[in-house]
Amino acid sequence: MNELCLKSIYKNYKTKQVLDNISMIFKPGVYSFLGANGSGKTTLMRIILNLIKPTKGAVYWNGQPIELLGESYRDAIGYVPQHVPFYPNMKVYDFLMYIGTLKGIANHALKEKVEYWLKQVNLYDDRYQKIKNLSGGMKQRVGIAQAMLNDPQLLILDEPTAGLDPKERIRFRSLIANLSVNRIILYTTHIASDLEGLTDYVCILNNGCLEQLDEPENVLKKLAKQVWEVDILPEELIYIEEQYKVGAIEKHGGRIRVRLYHHKKPLPQAVMKEPTLEDLYLYYFSEGQST
Amino acid sequence: MTSFNDENMTKVKKDVEVNLDTFPVPTPNEKRIEETIQFIGTLLDKEDQVKQPSLLKKLRVEWTVTNRLVISLQFLILLFGLWMGIQASIEMTIQVIFLLSPLSIVVCLTECFKTKTFGMNELEWTFKYGTGQLFIVRLLIALGLHFIAVAPIVFVSGFLSIKHLVTLLIVWLIPAMLVAIFLLIISLYTPIHWNNVYIIGPFWLLLSILLIVQQNLLRLWIEMDITIHLCVFVFLLTIMMKVIWKYKEASSLE
């Protein structure tokens, strides 16, 4: 069974500390990294990919430091970057064939693999389209296909659903769920709702520190009996925001329905709710409110 | 010859049991079993995966994705140069070589820089052969195309004496390398997603004008001793390798 191990990772950019003593062990499963912009998610992924070196600490793949593994580590990884670039003038099929060769896949197997993954990501009918003519969601699926060509044991997805419409997000989620068997999937996002029912472990990164790493149910337990929903008048919103940590706000008739986080019943009309991963995200990363 | 029947099998089993009793083997723990499996895995050939492709294969694959416009332009340069070589005087042809060779190499260099132009560094670093190796392969294609575009002009121009030929090859290699070094340095310090074509175009224009204006300097340079040309060539080659190394380091996303 494959294992990825991070040992005391620190990363500084000049005087700014981006990652602060991150130690984790990953076994096959989906690990979701939740964090606000600038929390260090992308830097951590780049360190795991051996694209940048940590200031201190090391990453081990099956007990070996990744910088010593070189090519054999790169054989084991698949990566979907945050902004999928690609060569815009290439056709989808040609692009995947090209990437497959760069990944060192033998010719006789490559054609088969490209066709297989084009079907899996539902792009087979569009395989002769130029990449520049594809929608954002289709480009993300090209990204997944290229990452999967070498059958990676470690798949890293850096905010893959950013910029996708809801339908494409759902389709993307199903695709990841299908891929998660016997692989380590690291998935960074700040769209918590994407992770519902998908992730095996939630990792919360805040200002470069690992706040939590646990199964979603256990992480959510920490918010149990702290999530409340209350209907208020629009003019009361300012007061509520000053007093409580506020999550989602939505219009409900002439009133406003507010989701807020507090250890005891905040208002007489407040109704306790089951916490969701979105609550968890808002609890940790909403700005400027008191608890 | 006796066949291996049930009776023999029973005897073998008995022998194994006796031997196991005589030489007890400790049962390995789970960790040891796991380690042995992992180790055996490293001894097996990985099917379909993943041998470093040969340089020839890399070149072939890269050639298939080289911008057709760049290739077409090389052939246009070649045709124009040949036409000039047949029609015009030797001196005029040398000038054409001088002016066309930087254009040829800089157009090819846009291909070398395409990783940076399209922001593919991050992804390509995760492949079996990464940006650094890709750059070298693309550079080889660029130099190959450049050679195809310019070398025949030299031949057609009638410089079939070996000494002249070598001098000419070195003479046009040097300005081409200077341009390459300059553009590589510029590319190092330009932000990602900048299209290098917009830098290359004006630079070539400037160089061409400079060469036309400085005809005497051009003649002086061409007529210099071949040893000087060789020394300059080696010197520039060293600088170029250093710049390419620096380029590789800078592409590491740090």
Side-chain angles (χ1 to χ4, degrees), chain A residues 97-117:
Chain A
M97 289 293 285
Y98 175 59
I99 298 296
T101 313
L102 297 192
K103 289 186 171 210
I105 299 165
N107 266 354
H108 65 274
L110 181 57
K111 202 175 163 213
E112 210 173 285
K113 283 188 181 207
V114 166
E115 287 183 359
Y116 173 79
W117 282 108

Side-chain angles (χ1 to χ4, degrees), chain A residues 1 11 46 51-53 71 74-75 79 85-88 90 98-99 101-104 106 108 150, chain B residues 34 48-50 52 57 61-62 65 115 118-120 122-125 127-129 138 252-254:
Chain A
M1 190 195 288
K11 180 70 188 174
R46 284 178 169 180
L51 296 176
I52 56 176
K53 304 255 174 292
E71 270 178 35
R74 295 205 294 271
D75 285 343
Y79 176 45
F86 309 147
Y87 294 120
M90 285 178 86
Y98 175 59
I99 298 296
T101 313
L102 297 192
K103 289 186 171 210
H108 65 274
N150 55 329
Chain B
E34 197 64 40
D48 299 340
Q49 274 187 341
V50 256
Q52 196 43 278
K57 191 181 172 192
V61 171
E62 205 49 50
V65 295
T115 290
F118 294 110
M120 285 283 286
E122 198 174 325
L123 196 60
E124 284 179 356
W125 268 99
F127 296 155
K128 190 168 187 72
Y129 70 101
R138 285 172 186 163
S252 73
L253 303 171
E254 280 284 3

Side-chain angles (χ1 to χ4, degrees), chain B residues 22 29 39 41 56 67 86 89 106 124 126 132 148 158 161 176 178 192 194 199 201 221 226 233 235 254:
Chain B
T22 317
N29 59 26
F39 177 70
L56 203 68
N67 192 334
I86 293 162
S89 64
V106 292
E124 284 179 356
T126 66
I148 290 167
S161 120
L178 269 170
I192 204 158
W194 271 37
I199 305 164
W221 168 247
I226 192 164
F233 178 67
F235 176 68
E254 280 284 3

Side-chain angles (χ1 to χ4, degrees), chain A residues 124-180:
Chain A
Y124 191 75
D125 294 338
D126 299 296
R127 64 192 184 280
Y128 297 124
Q129 290 252 21
K130 283 192 172 180
I131 289 174
K132 66 180 173 190
N133 297 331
L134 302 180
S135 70
M138 288 162 102
K139 279 185 191 168
Q140 289 289 14
R141 281 185 270 147
V142 175
I144 287 282
Q146 64 78 23
M148 293 305 298
L149 282 177
N150 55 329
D151 191 22
Q153 296 308 299
L154 170 62
L155 179 62
I156 296 178
L157 306 144
D158 191 7
E159 306 218 5
T161 53
L164 299 192
D165 64 39
K167 197 175 152 195
E168 281 174 332
R169 292 226 305 268
I170 291 166
R171 189 195 294 213
F172 193 83
R173 208 169 67 166
S174 319
L175 188 61
I176 300 303
N178 283 338
L179 300 178
S180 64

Side-chain angles (χ1 to χ4, degrees), chain B residues 217-243:
Chain B
L217 199 73
L218 188 80
R219 198 168 295 116
L220 203 71
W221 168 247
I222 293 168
E223 284 165 2
M224 273 183 180
D225 192 75
I226 192 164
T227 329
I228 296 172
H229 285 305
L230 272 173
C231 289
V232 175
F233 178 67
V234 171
F235 176 68
L236 286 177
L237 197 67
T238 318
I239 297 177
M240 191 156 184
M241 293 321 287
K242 280 197 179 246
V243 176

Side-chain angles (χ1 to χ4, degrees), chain B residues 20-120:
Chain B
L20 280 176
D21 287 342
T22 317
F23 309 104
V25 180
T27 312
N29 59 26
E30 280 294 318
K31 192 176 169 233
R32 180 90 179 117
I33 294 170
E34 197 64 40
E35 277 172 5
T36 309
I37 292 168
Q38 293 279 346
F39 177 70
I40 290 169
T42 63
L43 300 177
L44 296 174
D45 275 343
K46 285 187 184 173
E47 206 189 331
D48 299 340
Q49 274 187 341
V50 256
K51 284 170 188 144
Q52 196 43 278
S54 67
L55 183 69
L56 203 68
K57 191 181 172 192
K58 287 178 197 170
L59 282 169
R60 204 182 66 223
V61 171
E62 205 49 50
W63 171 255
T64 61
V65 295
T66 302
N67 192 334
R68 294 289 168 258
L69 195 69
V70 169
I71 298 169
S72 311
L73 204 65
Q74 296 303 310
F75 280 99
L76 274 178
I77 291 169
L78 172 66
L79 289 177
F80 181 70
L82 289 178
W83 179 75
M84 283 294 292
I86 293 162
Q87 296 289 321
S89 64
I90 291 172
E91 199 153 297
M92 190 67 181
T93 307
I94 292 173
Q95 279 184 31
V96 169
I97 294 168
F98 255 82
L99 297 182
L100 288 186
S101 74
L103 175 63
S104 161
I105 192 82
V106 292
V107 167
C108 291
L109 277 172
T110 58
E111 278 300 288
C112 298
F113 297 142
K114 71 180 177 186
T115 290
K116 189 167 178 288
T117 306
F118 294 110
M120 285 283 286

